[in-house]
């Protein structure tokens, strides 16, 4: 019997509410969308292993002109269109083992109720007023643009239209000082720091009111006091983060989870998330979220993915070649969370073969082979004073800090240090040449213990493979049920467990 279950933390150490952007339903999900979602999923899994109360929210952004037009082009109603595309998202998240706690759709009644409540609160505060919108709108970006920007947008193939109509405006221009003051008091709220500076620079330039409603469109949430208008896109979309935790229907729940939210977002949407959103919340008398973690683009051949460039990559195509965990590992380990990074198939093959097939896969296979041959298939216990113990302690400290800072690549690099050092430990002792006895048992017990810790620390990134490693070294139960930090302390492998050599966990992939 393994040690799982004996070391469950007896108190809740904290709360972790993590969100992804809600994705537009006018596009098929690609590796860029999956990047944010896989990162959020791994973080949620890590925090669950810390024994925290975790709430992981993702979903879809279903209103707006783009969706209405996509539906039209396909000869269906916007709702029918949304129902079709939302399924594509759910399927991809299932394929990638995304264990979200809630999937929100902006077309749900609970969301309409929350948007109405937030609108009323902002209006009561005097921050929503009727005006006339005259100007330019990029349908492709769901964004109002200035006359100066029209040519540039059109040159990029964006669909830009001119419009004039009564709109309600959110008085963002009143919030500059309050936002600056809030950010002053919360210096760590936006990472990386370059993005924080970008946000502060934008606020300091002076803020413009923004339109939150339209009359020329019906595919949105009607304004409670003037239902000829619908709100859609940003006011609508951002509200999802409070809808999902009970803003309109469950005060206790809302108090539990808000404002603990941690928003993961791509750099394209920081203005909306880090300027509009906290201003909307402050207007309604609510606290802005805990923090925003902003990442760069995944580029393909140095370029942003787009429909027009025909360079969008579907996660399923890569999962077919690398498996689910091969996929997850790559996007968590390869790009550093923050800057842009170039994706290449060749790079993915190299990393997969090096880290998974060679380093981890071989380590497991070697250990299982030697234990099978020379220890009668029973894994010996580790030694308390093994040199690998220090490697594990250090790796855990680095990994824990990195997961806390939303740096999965750093956390996994630290975790793989254990794998490399354990391979080196085997090469130094050559247990395959040793006769059975205490010396061999010591070498193999230490390697098994290192593998146990690797399974624990890698579980948020590669849940299936971590479970397989766990079972093959003879541990029972779910590796994901292990509690950190205790499960990462050297010495947890009890010895006397049956070790099995199964099929190769990570078959090599050819470029
Ligand atoms: N619906 C809005 C977000 C509303 S949130 C309240 C939206 N949707 S989107 O479908 O365009 O998704 C945007 C998000 O997808 C980005 O912020 C980013 O998280 C992810 N990505 C889309 N393409 C990407 C890359 N090429 N690279 C990395 N992530 C990108 O904007």
């Amino acid at each position: 019997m393994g040690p799982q279950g004996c070391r469950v933390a007896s108190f809740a150490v904290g709360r972790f509410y993590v969100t992804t952007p809600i994705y537009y339903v006018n596009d098929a999900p690609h590796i860029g969308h999956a990047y944010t979602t896989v990162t959020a999923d791994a973080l949620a899994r890590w925090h669950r292993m810390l024994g925290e109360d975790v709430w992981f929210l993702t979903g879809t952004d279903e209103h707006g002109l783009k969706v209405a037009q996509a539906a039209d082009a396909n000869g269906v109603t916007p709702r029918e269109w949304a129902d079709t595309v939302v399924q594509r998202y759910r399927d991809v998240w299932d394929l990638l083992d995304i264990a979200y706690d809630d999937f929100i759709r902006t077309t749900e009644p609970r969301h309409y109720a929350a948007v109405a409540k937030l609108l009323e609160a902002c209006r009561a505060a005097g921050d929503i007023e009727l005006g006339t919108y005259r100007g330019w709108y990029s349908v492709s970006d769901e964004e109002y643009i200035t006359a100066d920007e029209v040519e540039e947008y059109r040159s990029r193939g964006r669909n830009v239209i001119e419009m004039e109509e009564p709109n309600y405006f959110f008085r963002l221009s009143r919030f500059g000082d309050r936002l600056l003051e809030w950010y002053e008091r919360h210096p760590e709220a936006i990472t990386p720091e370059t993005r924080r500076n970008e946000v502060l620079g934008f606020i300091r330039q002076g803020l413009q009111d923004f339109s939150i409603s339209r009359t020329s469109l019906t595919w949105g949430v009607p304004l409670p006091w003037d239902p000829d208008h619908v709100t859609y896109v940003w006011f609508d979309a951002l509200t999802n983060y409070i809808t999902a935790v009970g803003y309109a229907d469950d005060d206790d729940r809302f108090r539990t989870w808000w404002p603990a939210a941690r928003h993961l977002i791509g750099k394209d949407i920081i203005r909306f998330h880090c300027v509009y959103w906290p201003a909307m919340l402050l207007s309604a008398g609510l606290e802005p979220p805990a923090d925003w973690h902003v990442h760069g683009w995944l580029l393909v051949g140095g370029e942003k993915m787009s429909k027009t460039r025909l360079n969008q990559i579907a996660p399923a195509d890569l999962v077919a070649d690398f498996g689910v965990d091969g996929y997850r590992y790559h996007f968590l380990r390869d790009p550093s969370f923050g800057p842009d990074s170039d994706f290449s198939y060749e790079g993915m093959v190299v990393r997969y073969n090096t880290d998974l097939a060679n380093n981890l896969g071989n380590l497991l296979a070697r250990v299982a082979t030697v234990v099978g041959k020379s220890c009668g298939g029973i894994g010996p216990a580790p030694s308390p004073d093994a040199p690998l113990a220090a490697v594990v302690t250090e790796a855990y400290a680095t990994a824990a800090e990195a997961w806390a800072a939303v740096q999965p690549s750093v956390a996994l690099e630290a975790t793989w240090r254990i794998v490399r050092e354990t391979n080196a430990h085997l090469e130094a002792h050559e247990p395959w040449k040793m006769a059975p006895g205490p010396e061999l048992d010591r070498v193999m017990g230490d390697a098994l213990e290192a593998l146990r810790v690797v399974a624990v620390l890698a579980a948020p990134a590669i849940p299936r493979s971590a479970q397989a490693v766990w079972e093959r070294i003879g541990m029972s139960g779910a590796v994901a049920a292990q509690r950190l930090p205790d499960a990462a302390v050297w010495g947890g492998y009890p010895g006397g467990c049956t070790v099995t050599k199964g099929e190769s966990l990570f078959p090599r992939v050819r470029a």
Side-chain angles (χ1 to χ4, degrees):
M1 190 141 130
Q4 75 292 329
C6 326
R7 288 177 166 170
V8 176
S10 56
F11 56 94
V13 288
R15 280 209 179 91
F16 186 72
Y17 173 26
V18 64
T19 70
T20 72
I22 50 171
Y23 303 103
Y24 289 132
V25 289
N26 53 341
D27 226 353
H30 59 60
I31 57 171
H33 306 120
Y35 176 66
T36 322
T37 309
V38 167
T39 304
D41 180 68
L43 283 172
R45 288 173 186 268
W46 176 265
H47 284 266
R48 287 187 195 113
M49 291 179 78
L50 286 174
E52 296 180 9
D53 283 341
V54 171
W55 197 253
F56 167 22
L57 173 72
T58 189
T60 41
D61 188 355
E62 305 191 355
H63 293 124
L65 201 50
K66 255 203 291 194
V67 174
Q69 289 180 344
D72 217 32
N74 286 276
V76 294
T77 65
R79 192 169 292 274
E80 283 166 343
W81 175 252
D83 286 347
T84 307
V85 181
V86 78
Q87 199 47 47
R88 291 189 204 155
Y89 275 92
R90 287 189 191 275
D91 290 347
V92 174
W93 301 155
D94 286 350
L95 174 72
L96 297 178
D97 284 341
I98 305 299
Y100 50 78
D101 294 296
D102 192 0
F103 188 107
I104 188 163
R105 301 181 58 180
T106 52
T107 45
E108 291 174 68
R110 61 172 172 159
H111 184 63
Y112 276 53
V115 171
K117 182 170 173 182
L118 188 65
L119 282 166
E120 290 285 22
C122 296
R123 184 164 170 249
D127 294 323
I128 291 181
E129 281 175 8
L130 189 63
T132 302
Y133 180 79
R134 255 178 236 102
W136 299 92
Y137 188 76
S138 165
V139 179
S140 319
D141 300 278
E142 298 282 19
E143 176 182 31
Y144 293 98
I145 60 174
T146 62
D148 299 345
E149 290 172 320
V150 172
E151 207 164 307
E152 194 265 326
Y153 271 62
R154 285 195 169 144
S155 72
R156 287 191 286 116
R158 315 310 277 165
N159 176 13
V160 174
I161 56 173
E162 192 174 16
M163 23 177 296
E164 173 172 341
E165 63 170 22
N167 280 189
Y168 283 93
F169 286 80
F170 179 80
R171 305 293 303 272
L172 186 66
S173 55
R174 296 175 175 170
F175 284 85
D177 288 346
R178 285 165 76 183
L179 287 172
L180 289 173
E181 192 219 321
W182 190 88
Y183 277 117
E184 180 98 355
R185 280 188 286 116
H186 300 86
E188 317 270 299
I190 302 176
T191 66
E193 208 184 341
T194 46
R195 297 290 166 210
R196 170 185 156 85
N197 295 336
E198 192 180 322
V199 167
L200 294 182
F202 179 72
I203 300 172
R204 286 196 188 108
Q205 271 172 28
L207 298 174
Q208 311 265 322
D209 297 344
F210 69 92
S211 159
I212 59 160
S213 79
R214 295 274 294 271
T215 47
S216 54
L217 180 86
T218 51
W219 188 232
V221 185
L223 300 192
W225 63 89
D226 190 351
D228 287 346
H229 285 251
V230 294
T231 188
Y232 68 104
V233 195
W234 291 102
F235 199 99
D236 167 20
L238 289 162
T239 307
N240 91 87
Y241 301 128
I242 55 175
T243 304
V245 289
Y247 174 59
D249 52 25
D250 189 338
D251 286 349
D252 283 349
R253 241 185 114 229
F254 187 59
R255 269 195 298 275
T256 301
W257 293 106
W258 196 264
R262 334 284 298 265
H263 295 320
L264 300 193
I265 53 172
K267 66 179 184 182
D268 50 328
I269 53 180
I270 58 172
R271 212 178 268 196
F272 304 108
H273 277 81
C274 306
V275 182
Y276 289 22
W277 180 224
M280 287 158 54
L281 290 161
L282 289 171
S283 167
L286 300 171
E287 191 48 30
D291 51 36
W292 296 260
H293 298 278
V294 186
H295 65 76
W297 293 123
L298 280 184
L299 304 170
V300 174
E303 292 194 332
K304 195 169 169 242
M305 274 175 284
S306 74
K307 262 190 193 162
T308 41
R309 288 197 192 101
L310 291 175
N311 63 351
Q312 295 184 336
I313 300 172
D317 290 343
L318 296 175
V319 169
D321 293 352
F322 297 92
V324 177
D325 284 348
Y327 182 100
R328 294 173 57 103
Y329 181 79
H330 184 77
F331 289 101
L332 291 165
R333 171 63 187 88
D334 202 68
S336 158
F337 190 93
D340 288 351
S341 80
D342 217 350
F343 170 79
S344 82
Y345 189 87
E346 295 71 24
M348 187 165 179
V349 170
V350 170
R351 187 169 287 289
Y352 172 94
N353 283 338
T354 308
D355 290 9
L356 296 177
N358 291 349
N359 285 342
L360 179 56
N362 275 352
L363 173 61
L364 181 67
R366 274 166 148 184
V367 168
T369 304
V370 176
V371 172
K373 267 202 202 133
S374 311
C375 310
I378 303 298
S383 49
D385 53 354
L388 282 175
V391 175
V392 160
T393 307
E394 233 174 80
Y396 177 71
T398 308
E401 205 178 299
W403 284 113
V406 190
Q407 290 296 321
S409 63
V410 177
L412 292 174
E413 152 58 31
T415 304
W416 257 252
R417 219 174 294 146
I418 307 177
V419 177
R420 288 195 301 271
E421 294 285 343
T422 310
N423 272 319
H425 159 87
L426 292 184
E427 265 140 37
H429 291 89
E430 301 189 306
W432 38 87
K433 292 186 182 164
M434 289 163 76
E439 178 63 5
L440 175 71
D441 284 356
R442 204 174 49 78
V443 174
M444 297 319 292
D446 292 349
L448 282 158
E449 167 62 352
L451 270 170
R452 184 193 66 82
V453 177
V454 168
V456 169
L457 300 188
I462 51 170
R464 291 182 194 205
S465 314
Q467 182 63 28
V469 172
W470 188 252
E471 286 169 14
R472 286 193 195 180
I473 63 171
M475 302 296 288
S476 55
V479 64
Q482 294 299 301
R483 284 291 163 267
L484 292 168
D486 290 8
V489 173
W490 184 264
Y493 188 68
C497 315
T498 305
V499 174
T500 31
K501 181 167 195 284
E503 306 232 305
S504 165
L505 264 196
F506 303 105
R508 283 182 70 84
V509 173
R510 278 169 204 278

